[in-house]
Amino acid sequence: MTRHALIAILLTLADCCQEIRVKSLDGGVVVGRSMEFSLPLNSHLVSEPAGTVHQAPLPPNCHGNPVTFTNRFKTISNWNVFAGKWANSLADGVNEAGVSVSILWFKGYEEYLDPTDITGAACDSAIPHTKIGAYILAKYENVEQVKEDLESGKFPAIWGGTDLNMVPPIHFNIIDKTGAGLVLEHTKGEGVKWYDNTVGVLTNSPPYPWHMTNLRSYPHFQRNDKGREGFQYSSLGDTYTLSQQWTGSGLLGLPGDYTSPSRFIKAATLLSLAPKPATTDEAIVQVFHHMNAADIPYGIVETGPENRVSLTSWILVKDLGRGCVYYRAYTDLSVKRLCLHNLPDVRSAVRIEGNFDGGFRDTSGELQEIDNILLDKHTEL
């Protein structure tokens, strides 16, 4: 594949990323994020120690030393590889202060500063939007600090950086270990906007306020079945009752397609109806199941002029309080984990996708004669 062909494909990718937040009764905050793409992703989780230095490229009209920033915290972040080169922007990450940042596709609504407009003193603090994720993980302990810098003008000026000679259309979801959330968007005609993420969900286009307005159209879903007494009617003086035949009628009409608005509604509804988990471990399990409800199997969705199929390449589940990232990929279905406190103090990486055989554990050696099994053993939910 040529570089130009790859850029053309990237511009028409299915925008199907999703992120959700769950807070457990013991105070744990767990964030789940999926990556849907119509190209094979060579994705890695990259660990960086505190003290790692990042360098931003210089805008064309700036001279002198480029802007640099240094990690205050150890981090785990996700980086993709295209055409044998690391992407210029991380896709997701968490730092040891308990801050998570995710970058989701935002096609059709994005607009960033033109890099040629950055001159003079502005050169000393401006960074490309492809570096925002790394900057947030490097500098901030919580969402409130990000908001304070945005409101006071201390947050860097953001210009449209390139990745594979294109300006990726992206917006940002920032969550900390208290559960506070912030959506950061750069939109046409609006400039820089940020919003409290009160519902704990983010998908893709349109902008976050539009999704929240759309959510008002779906107030009627409920956990319990509707019409438990069945359908009753009268005919020729006799009364008849037709019992309902299926469970789940409380969610009749719930959007189930893969468009960004429908995925936002479905995720927000499921989160609102699900019982709050008692422990952080239970929250991790719940988030994986919520993310499975949005999974795109290979071949279901086609996108772009070449009709490339989209799929859920991987799912990350981040435990912000304990600094652990759980992950599974498309072919290797096993859940794996990286925790910040176990990472070496050198920059290192592990590939997310494994092989099919590595995703299973053979239990033939655990079989017991049937009479030795205690039939009253079970797992309570």
Side-chain angles (χ1 to χ4, degrees):
M1 181 187 301
T2 68
R3 189 175 183 85
H4 292 297
L6 179 59
I7 295 167
I9 291 168
L10 285 169
L11 288 169
T12 57
L13 290 174
D15 49 357
C16 293
C17 303
Q18 175 173 301
E19 181 157 276
I20 63 172
R21 176 201 63 215
V22 169
K23 189 169 184 178
S24 57
L25 293 174
D26 67 359
V29 173
V30 178
V31 177
R33 187 267 169 84
S34 65
M35 171 66 84
E36 282 75 27
F37 232 54
S38 59
L39 283 176
L41 289 178
N42 187 2
S43 299
H44 292 70
L45 289 179
V46 176
S47 68
E48 293 182 344
T52 300
V53 178
H54 296 262
Q55 179 175 294
L58 275 173
N61 293 325
C62 293
H63 308 284
N65 296 323
V67 174
T68 62
F69 54 91
T70 303
N71 282 11
R72 295 177 58 201
F73 314 100
K74 187 180 291 188
T75 67
I76 299 173
S77 54
N78 174 279
W79 293 81
N80 300 313
V81 177
F82 296 111
K85 293 184 64 176
W86 291 100
N88 289 337
S89 174
L90 60 81
D92 203 286
V94 62
N95 69 21
E96 62 183 335
V99 172
S100 160
V101 62
S102 295
I103 294 164
L104 291 84
W105 214 243
F106 192 50
K107 185 172 65 177
Y109 293 86
E110 82 292 348
E111 186 173 72
Y112 314 99
L113 290 177
D114 188 320
T116 61
D117 291 338
I118 307 295
T119 59
C123 296
D124 297 334
S125 61
I127 63 173
H129 77 309
T130 50
K131 295 296 183 186
I132 292 181
Y135 182 86
I136 289 170
L137 293 182
K139 306 295 286 186
Y140 293 103
E141 297 179 44
N142 53 55
V143 164
E144 188 60 33
Q145 290 178 352
V146 179
K147 289 177 66 176
E148 288 174 358
D149 279 3
L150 286 166
E151 291 168 353
S152 66
K154 293 180 180 179
F155 199 81
I158 304 300
W159 51 275
T162 58
D163 199 348
L164 293 170
N165 295 330
M166 62 172 286
V167 179
I170 50 180
H171 61 170
F172 307 87
N173 198 32
I174 308 156
I175 300 173
D176 67 29
K177 64 183 180 181
T178 71
L182 189 73
V183 176
L184 177 61
E185 297 180 335
H186 299 68
T187 56
K188 295 177 181 178
E190 297 284 340
V192 183
K193 294 289 183 180
W194 56 92
Y195 313 95
D196 291 325
N197 190 340
T198 55
V199 74
V201 174
L202 188 64
T203 55
N204 309 102
S205 308
Y208 181 75
W210 185 97
H211 285 294
M212 292 301 290
T213 299
N214 188 42
L215 190 58
R216 294 170 176 263
S217 301
Y218 298 87
H220 52 282
F221 298 118
Q222 59 191 48
R223 293 188 186 92
N224 59 290
D225 289 338
K226 294 180 178 178
R228 293 181 177 182
E229 68 282 356
F231 179 73
Q232 297 180 348
Y233 67 99
S234 298
S235 177
L236 301 177
D238 293 320
T239 299
Y240 299 87
T241 299
L242 297 178
S243 61
Q244 60 176 334
Q245 298 296 305
W246 308 279
T247 60
S249 61
L251 294 171
L252 278 173
L254 178 68
D257 61 76
Y258 294 118
T259 61
S260 176
S262 291
R263 287 181 293 104
F264 192 101
I265 296 300
K266 183 177 182 180
T269 299
L270 297 183
L271 285 180
S272 70
L273 296 180
K276 182 169 283 193
T279 67
T280 306
D281 288 348
E282 290 177 15
I284 292 168
V285 172
Q286 186 185 97
V287 168
F288 265 110
H289 283 288
H290 279 297
M291 298 308 298
N292 289 344
D295 194 279
I296 301 180
Y298 179 86
I300 300 298
V301 175
E302 291 184 343
T303 184
E306 299 185 16
N307 291 329
R308 289 182 172 270
V309 294
S310 184
L311 71 155
T312 300
S313 300
W314 44 256
I315 290 172
L316 302 183
V317 175
K318 297 166 281 187
D319 175 354
L320 303 190
R322 295 182 291 197
C324 293
V325 177
Y326 299 77
Y327 61 99
R328 73 156 179 83
Y330 191 88
T331 301
D332 179 355
L333 296 174
S334 63
V335 175
K336 297 177 173 61
R337 180 177 70 182
L338 280 181
C339 292
L340 284 161
H341 62 270
N342 287 331
L343 299 183
D345 287 327
V346 293
R347 200 163 187 262
S348 51
V350 61
R351 191 166 185 263
I352 288 182
E353 182 67 272
N355 57 53
F356 178 78
D357 290 337
F360 297 91
R361 179 170 62 89
D362 191 304
T363 60
S364 57
E366 301 173 27
L367 289 171
Q368 302 178 54
E369 291 186 20
I370 196 72
D371 291 340
N372 294 332
I373 294 177
L374 298 177
L375 299 181
D376 61 345
K377 283 189 175 181
H378 63 281
T379 301
E380 294 184 0
L381 294 178

